[in-house]
Amino acid sequence: MDEATTQKKDIILNAAIKVFAEKGYYSSRTLDISNEAGVAYGSLYHYFRSKDDILMSIFQERWNLLIAKVRQVREQGSGPEEQLGMVIDFIFRSYRQNPDLLKVMIMDVPRLDKFYNPENWKLYNLFFRGLMEIFHEGQEQGVFAADVSPILATIIMHGAVDATIRQYVYNPEFNKEEFPVEEARGQIMMVLRRGFSKKVEGEKS
Amino acid sequence: MDEATTQKKDIILNAAIKVFAEKGYYSSRTLDISNEAGVAYGSLYHYFRSKDDILMSIFQERWNLLIAKVRQVREQGSGPEEQLGMVIDFIFRSYRQNPDLLKVMIMDVPRLDKFYNPENWKLYNLFFRGLMEIFHEGQEQGVFAADVSPILATIIMHGAVDATIRQYVYNPEFNKEEFPVEEARGQIMMVLRRGFSKKVEGEKS
DNA sequence: GTGTCGATTGACTGATCAGTCACTTCATGG
DNA sequence: CCATGAAGTGACTGATCAGTCAATCGACAC
């Protein structure tokens, strides 16, 4: 795939993110996407097999960035708590940079039947596996409580971040002024750190 | 609305829950619903204005049960931790009794544009308000940490439960045998209790 | 100048479905 | 036993759209 093709695909994907975020996947017309992207209707089908394929491509491309981030954080090798913090930071930063993308990832991607295929699950679970490794390492180092399952810890963490971003994206009564992203990020980290951490008294690490 | 009408509506709603859970809202045909319910196609439109109306009715009816549960728990008046535990229990029990319902509530309801109207937000936030009150009370009693915002605490709790149920419903790699609902419930409660609780050392309640 | 081939175009089509409506059946009560 | 209207029926329709395709463009090669 040459450079120009990659660029054109990217233009279309970004247009699609905007359109899907605005109207939701099912209410979005492929014509809207081509208009937004500034390409002819038919061109969409030159670069992508179908409307579904566009959404799946958004997921795969962007989720890989998340996985890459986890890998990078792991290789960098600071403490487990810092590592989790960096992943959470990355997600919140992604939201600030492109709220539309997060909206699509959270609301549209998981609603598409075609999303639930083995290939995507594998990709999806790669992220969780990365988090679980961090967590497990933390347990071995005595930083995190040993009686919490890494799987559950990961799910809880993901759920907390996901639900918070949902509030930002959707809930009009959720006061964004009083509750800047930074604040939310900090509080989640605080609760999770306490929730996961080994009790402070007299344990040897 | 007489008894018979209420019953018929309920039959249709339960059929719709089953169909929506199976195929997702947008892929479900209203014909499928009438077949499942054992009523004529046209009858749907005798009892409900539209397909949207059916989904919204599911949300409103069942969400009110959740709100009622929170109210009941509050009136019963045990400690804040127990109260939160009872709400979480109720949700997990609902899932065991009727996984389809939870699937629809988590995946289909929030995906419908029409869901986001002031009336529904009011209902939706009533639940959160209830949890926040429990949490706030816990802070005043010195059970929960004062430096965690009740709003965030509520969102984190809801997100954790939501994400866990999602795993049960969707993730084929999530091992339900090894990880029974009871186990998940217990671990979530543990993490949240630690995450929210005031530090144990030398505080007076 | 001509040939080749990928990129681009947008009018068109075939299928899909939510919702309608004219009709029938049923229950109630006078 | 008829009248009234609510409950129930399902064939039909009108609108909607994803995806197709035949035609055109443009870049590069020889």
Side-chain angles (χ1 to χ4, degrees), chain A residues 34-121:
Chain A
S34 60
N35 285 343
E36 180 68 36
V39 302
Y41 182 75
S43 291
L44 294 187
Y45 293 88
H46 183 74
Y47 290 99
F48 297 97
R49 275 190 305 283
S50 64
K51 190 185 174 190
D52 288 353
D53 186 34
I54 293 176
L55 184 57
M56 287 303 90
S57 297
I58 291 171
F59 164 72
Q60 283 161 11
E61 191 189 294
R62 307 302 166 116
W63 195 261
N64 269 315
L65 296 181
L66 180 59
I67 291 169
K69 183 67 190 181
V70 174
R71 194 172 301 132
Q72 180 217 308
V73 160
R74 301 231 57 217
E75 278 162 6
Q76 193 195 312
S78 33
E81 286 193 353
E82 287 73 30
Q83 290 188 25
L84 289 186
M86 282 187 246
V87 174
I88 291 180
D89 265 355
F90 177 76
I91 297 173
F92 275 101
R93 232 179 308 122
S94 301
Y95 166 70
R96 293 190 66 167
Q97 275 172 21
N98 192 354
D100 286 349
L101 172 62
L102 275 275
K103 195 172 176 183
V104 171
M105 295 289 271
I106 286 175
M107 292 299 285
D108 292 290
V109 168
R111 198 51 289 254
L112 188 72
D113 288 344
K114 278 205 181 169
F115 172 66
Y116 298 95
N117 64 52
E119 190 195 348
N120 281 344
W121 272 121

Side-chain angles (χ1 to χ4, degrees), chain B residues 28 34 53 65 96 107 111 122 129 131 148 152 157 195:
Chain B
S28 298
S34 60
D53 186 34
L65 296 181
R96 294 191 65 167
M107 291 300 284
R111 196 53 285 271
K122 218 180 122 195
R129 196 120 49 226
L131 288 189
V148 179
L152 246 293
M157 174 173 149

Side-chain angles (χ1 to χ4, degrees), chain B residues 8 40 42-43 46-47:
Chain B
K8 207 55 165 294
S43 291
H46 182 75
Y47 290 100

